[in-house]
Amino acid sequence: MRFLDVVSDTDSGRVFHFLRRGTTRQVIRKHLPGPWLSQSMIHGAPVLVAADAAEGLVPAPAEPDRLAGLNVAIATRNGEAAAIIADWLIHHYRHFDMQGAVIFERAPEDEAGNPWPEVAAALADAAAPMRLVVVHAGTPLGIADMPPESHPCCVAEAPGRDRMTPPPADPWRAPLQETAICEIARRRFLARARAVAHLDLHDLLQPSERGTPFDMAADNPGRVIELSGQHCYPWRVRRGATPSHRDHSCVQFDRPRFVRRWCAAPAGLPESARFAISRIAGAPRIPGSDFFRCMAVRHPGHRAGQIVPKSSLVESAPLVALVVQSLAADPLRPPARERIAPAAAGPGRTVILAPMRNEGPFILEWLAYHRAIGVDDFLIYTNDCTDGTDDLLRLLDRKGLVQHRDNPFREMGLRPHHGALQSAAGEPVIRDAGWIISMDADEFINVKVGDGRLADLYAATDGANMISCTWRLFGNSDIDEFRDESTIARFTACAEPFCPRPHQAWGFKTLFRNLGLFRKLGVHRPKGLNQQFLNEIRWVNGSGEPFPAREYRTAWRSTVGTFGYDLVSLNHYAVRNAESFLVKRDRGRANHADRDQGLHYWFRMNNNTTRDHSIQRHVPKMEQALSTLLSDPEIAAQHARCVAAHRRRIDELKADPRQSAFYRQLTGTRMKKLSRMHRHFGNDVFLAGPCAVPDAIITEDHPEDFIFSLGTSAAAE
């Protein structure tokens, strides 16, 4: 049998048998038939209570007098140095009247070292008398197949955690599995303690106006005092120094991690209560104190950026005060950053930054439309064009209508879209802009408030400095052939407003004030938040509703809680018509150049479920602006050349048997029906592609709430 401990409790006259986690009831019935006075579980670890020890077992006698009447903590040591242990003990002695601790030594006895004389000396120097009980586990307490707890792969918030190659499993040092050790400590040493708190050696209690958790526990017998902890981090550890509690100054602003611990007076608890890691089962709880969990102490040997995204860190005033006042330390804090703001006063000019390749036939409508709704400047990057796109844009540049640049992505070792973004950062038109948005030639900003101009949108959002425009996916409206006609007038079939699947459906692009709140441009929103300006962000969705702070750092799409179309949407004509889609697939993608825009993409993005005509009111002013552009003979001639080149490429592709077969798939009855069924599919269907949908599902009629899901994960395209 796999016993952790067997304890003879002199106060109750009972013997507690603690088995390892995962021991099944079948095993117990076979090998330990009893009789048992009671059986319970602590996180999957059986606790069996009897009048006597099971046959062949010699119980350890309880020693309740060793810590009787004291405020005591339960903790585990997983390699922490003597200085860490001493700092932890001294802090809680001085500020919380902690008088003792039961510390489980997790390492094998021959590898654990002996930090305790050094700890005792530090306590003596600090005049902090503490009564310590060190228990050598003698058996691995960690999760059998996990690496050492200190490794970043054991940190939920570590950047790139899912891509890490973990070191070999080490159950002696892995994250704790045998959580029954808290109840073992209770039965062996703590029955007569005044109050007991479960904390880790990385945890620092915060002072509270309600008093210490030990006093609260003593004043509330029979109740558990909840302790709420927040992960905290150093901004940086001083060069050559070993991380300690003293180095911590920051917390995450967007995805803070919280942990639960507890404090209680053992004498007042019911006999059936059981000490576990984050709670005491079988006893009522009341709010208590807060604490900080010092993550660089828990995960030594790793820079802060390896265990948490540094862009999510902000200075915590309570934490800094705790470290400065209680530990007499001076932690390194986030540096002040100089804001780089535009030279223009007021709202300034609105700029669209766009990468393009082989978009020639569609440029003038896109340009005319956005000029008509109030966009002032266009910075457009092109690469590898074969349809005259770059010639048209050079002509428009010469006439002062856009600024055109060759995309330097290859020299930069980047994808085309990212090359454009990085190159654009130094351009005066971007540097001096008032508002900026990065978007593509198949996206149209659809302002629904006022007269439909950007000035109306800025006014309606009441001081917002970031406006995320959520995609509304427009399908091909069952139009297969390319014609030189208006995209926004021709295609009106689209996704429903509530369209959480596929996950690309609610992607957004963000209009943002150029205020230096972020450090760089991004595809969907600015990136690299300057944390010190966090409180200045006024980010709203397309309905003018605030975005939650948890979205500030990495969000690129809306969610059920953040989507909105009332004031503005971004009409996304990702497929246009089937013939033009052949050319789009042929040219590749600016942001994901290594991914084929095949049948999977068409399936996801061709959504003909409903109709939306809200952008149609802007068609007359777009046509007027387009007519002005085409009144220039040079522009009209180059546009005609682009249209002709696009038509030629379509004909060339359709002459290829493979492309012709692909075109027949796109335009077949099956794909047309699928374009109206998106509401019925789970995410795994969109990942697997249209071939995963049985014909019977397509041909049948379904109620509104019908959902077809594969039930298994499928590989993404």
Side-chain angles (χ1 to χ4, degrees):
M1 291 297 298
R2 303 187 302 165
F3 285 97
L4 282 176
D5 204 356
V6 180
V7 181
S8 176
D9 184 349
T10 54
D11 285 350
S12 66
R14 298 177 177 184
V15 179
F16 289 78
H17 300 71
F18 296 92
L19 282 76
R20 297 187 71 90
R21 188 170 178 177
T23 304
T24 64
R25 296 188 185 277
Q26 290 86 345
V27 170
I28 294 171
R29 283 196 296 268
K30 180 177 180 180
H31 298 284
L32 295 168
W36 303 107
L37 300 176
S38 68
Q39 299 184 33
S40 58
M41 286 278 187
I42 300 177
H43 293 168
V47 181
L48 311 179
V49 182
D52 298 295
E55 184 177 353
L57 298 178
V58 178
E63 304 174 66
D65 291 332
R66 294 186 65 170
L67 298 166
L70 302 183
N71 296 325
V72 184
I74 305 172
T76 59
R77 178 183 178 237
N78 198 1
E80 288 81 7
I84 296 295
I85 302 169
D87 281 348
W88 180 78
L89 292 168
I90 292 168
H91 168 74
H92 292 102
Y93 170 80
R94 286 178 173 170
H95 302 285
F96 298 90
D97 195 27
M98 191 173 87
Q99 300 153 314
V102 176
I103 300 178
F104 286 85
E105 174 60 77
R106 292 189 50 190
E109 199 158 353
D110 58 346
E111 298 179 19
N114 187 15
W116 307 109
E118 187 177 341
V119 170
L123 292 173
D125 289 344
M130 298 282 284
R131 194 172 298 175
L132 302 182
V133 176
V134 179
V135 181
H136 286 271
T139 185
L141 299 180
I143 302 172
D145 59 353
M146 287 286 287
E149 184 178 51
S150 60
H151 193 272
C153 70
C154 296
V155 187
E157 58 267 43
R161 176 173 175 254
D162 57 338
R163 300 186 298 275
M164 293 180 185
T165 301
D170 184 352
W172 288 97
R173 297 170 180 82
L176 185 66
Q177 174 172 269
E178 301 299 347
T179 57
I181 60 173
C182 292
E183 181 68 7
I184 291 173
R186 172 194 182 186
R187 297 300 174 179
R188 288 191 65 168
F189 308 110
L190 301 174
R192 298 176 192 167
R194 176 177 183 261
V196 177
H198 178 225
L199 294 166
D200 286 7
L201 295 178
H202 328 104
D203 299 338
L204 296 177
L205 283 169
Q206 298 182 62
S208 170
E209 294 180 354
R210 289 176 288 185
T212 75
F214 300 107
D215 289 343
M216 292 180 67
D219 292 340
N220 291 274
R223 297 190 176 189
V224 178
I225 310 304
E226 291 185 320
L227 307 179
S228 178
Q230 182 177 10
H231 288 192
C232 66
Y233 314 83
W235 179 256
R236 182 171 60 81
V237 177
R238 288 181 169 85
R239 191 180 302 277
T242 300
S244 74
H245 303 95
R246 293 174 164 83
D247 296 303
H248 292 70
S249 61
C250 299
V251 296
Q252 282 186 282
F253 79 85
D254 55 349
R255 287 174 175 81
R257 294 282 175 178
F258 292 95
V259 288
R260 298 293 178 189
R261 292 294 182 261
W262 49 262
C263 186
L269 295 173
E271 176 58 31
S272 59
R274 295 287 182 264
F275 284 13
I277 291 296
S278 59
R279 64 191 181 96
I280 295 180
R285 295 169 287 178
I286 60 175
S289 299
D290 296 330
F291 64 91
F292 287 108
R293 172 157 292 178
C294 299
M295 295 298 286
V297 176
R298 191 178 182 89
H299 305 280
H302 304 283
R303 300 186 308 277
Q306 293 175 297
I307 58 175
V308 66
K310 287 197 73 171
S311 58
S312 74
L313 295 184
V314 293
E315 183 175 306
S316 166
L319 173 60
V320 171
L322 177 68
V323 171
V324 171
Q325 296 168 15
S326 299
L327 302 180
D330 182 22
L332 295 175
R333 295 151 80 169
R337 299 184 186 276
E338 181 180 354
R339 179 178 295 189
I340 303 173
R349 297 172 69 84
T350 297
V351 180
I352 290 178
L353 166 63
M356 294 186 187
R357 184 185 178 202
N358 287 349
E359 295 281 8
F362 311 106
I363 290 173
L364 290 188
E365 179 193 9
W366 180 84
L367 178 63
Y369 174 86
H370 287 101
R371 282 166 59 89
I373 67 166
V375 176
D376 301 291
D377 300 299
F378 301 81
L379 178 61
I380 303 175
Y381 286 78
T382 62
N383 61 279
D384 306 313
C385 294
T386 58
D387 71 343
T389 290
D390 43 6
D391 294 328
L392 175 58
L393 289 168
R394 277 192 285 268
L395 176 63
L396 295 172
D397 186 325
R398 178 162 57 83
K399 293 179 180 291
L401 297 169
V402 305
Q403 294 189 38
H404 170 254
R405 304 287 184 269
D406 292 325
N407 195 329
F409 72 99
R410 289 192 178 89
E411 305 93 280
M412 304 168 79
L414 300 171
R415 292 171 176 167
H417 209 147
H418 293 102
L421 292 168
Q422 190 166 312
S423 178
E427 291 281 347
V429 69
I430 295 294
R431 192 173 59 241
D432 298 335
W435 288 86
I436 303 169
I437 185 171
S438 171
M439 53 184 286
D440 299 329
D442 58 4
E443 298 170 337
F444 287 72
I445 302 171
N446 181 10
V447 179
K448 303 176 183 180
V449 65
D451 292 330
R453 294 179 57 82
L454 288 174
D456 300 312
L457 176 64
Y458 299 152
T461 51
D462 192 26
N465 49 39
M466 297 180 68
I467 308 168
S468 282
C469 311
T470 301
W471 280 341
R472 188 81 180 271
L473 293 186
F474 278 73
N476 75 328
S477 297
D478 292 336
I479 297 172
D480 299 330
E481 301 82 14
F482 163 71
R483 291 200 296 268
D484 183 20
E485 297 176 358
S486 165
T487 294
I488 62 174
R490 197 177 185 207
F491 303 106
T492 60
C494 61
E496 295 173 303
F498 187 81
C499 187
R501 300 180 302 272
H503 73 275
Q504 295 93 340
W506 273 346
F508 59 62
K509 299 294 178 72
T510 304
L511 277 158
F512 67 95
R513 287 289 307 274
N514 187 23
L515 300 174
L517 304 178
F518 293 80
R519 293 191 289 276
K520 59 182 180 179
L521 302 168
V523 174
H524 293 269
R525 32 71 58 82
K527 305 293 285 290
L529 172 66
N530 282 323
Q531 300 96 319
Q532 70 195 66
F533 306 133
L534 179 66
N535 293 332
E536 298 181 37
I537 293 176
R538 302 289 182 269
W539 190 344
V540 300
N541 68 0
S543 292
E545 297 164 347
F547 254 70
R550 65 176 181 272
E551 305 285 347
Y552 286 1
R553 196 170 50 82
T554 59
W556 65 271
R557 64 182 296 271
S558 299
T559 66
V560 170
T562 63
F563 87 100
Y565 293 118
D566 294 342
L567 303 180
V568 64
S569 65
L570 195 67
N571 289 15
H572 191 190
Y573 303 88
V575 298
R576 297 190 180 107
N577 60 83
E579 287 188 334
S580 293
F581 186 74
L582 294 179
V583 179
K584 178 170 182 165
R585 183 192 187 203
D586 180 56
R587 76 163 192 235
R589 303 173 71 178
N591 194 26
H592 299 287
D594 56 341
R595 299 185 192 174
D596 177 35
Q597 290 173 292
L599 204 63
H600 283 60
Y601 185 92
W602 178 272
F603 173 47
R604 290 195 299 265
M605 308 302 274
N606 184 38
N607 199 321
N608 294 315
T609 305
T610 188
R611 299 271 173 178
D612 182 87
H613 298 90
S614 59
I615 203 170
Q616 300 301 307
R617 69 174 181 139
H618 303 317
V619 169
K621 57 189 172 189
M622 177 277 293
E623 290 177 338
Q624 182 178 357
L626 179 60
S627 177
T628 300
L629 291 173
L630 289 172
S631 66
D632 184 311
E634 289 184 291
I635 294 175
Q638 184 55 42
H639 171 73
R641 284 192 284 271
C642 290
V643 170
H646 189 73
R647 180 73 257 172
R648 283 195 303 273
R649 188 57 185 154
I650 289 171
D651 295 340
E652 291 168 359
L653 291 169
K654 290 177 74 173
D656 183 310
R658 291 174 300 177
Q659 296 289 348
S660 179
F662 178 67
Y663 180 76
R664 287 195 298 273
Q665 275 188 295
L666 296 184
T667 57
T669 303
R670 193 174 198 276
M671 295 305 297
K672 281 182 167 58
K673 183 68 182 295
L674 284 171
S675 76
R676 291 166 169 78
M677 296 182 65
H678 284 207
R679 70 166 74 94
H680 297 306
F681 298 139
N683 278 318
D684 54 1
V685 176
F686 291 106
L687 289 171
C691 295
V693 183
D695 289 340
I697 296 293
I698 298 174
T699 56
E700 292 174 4
D701 292 326
H702 303 289
E704 286 293 315
D705 59 353
F706 171 78
I707 296 292
F708 171 71
S709 179
L710 300 179
T712 58
S713 297
E717 177 191 359

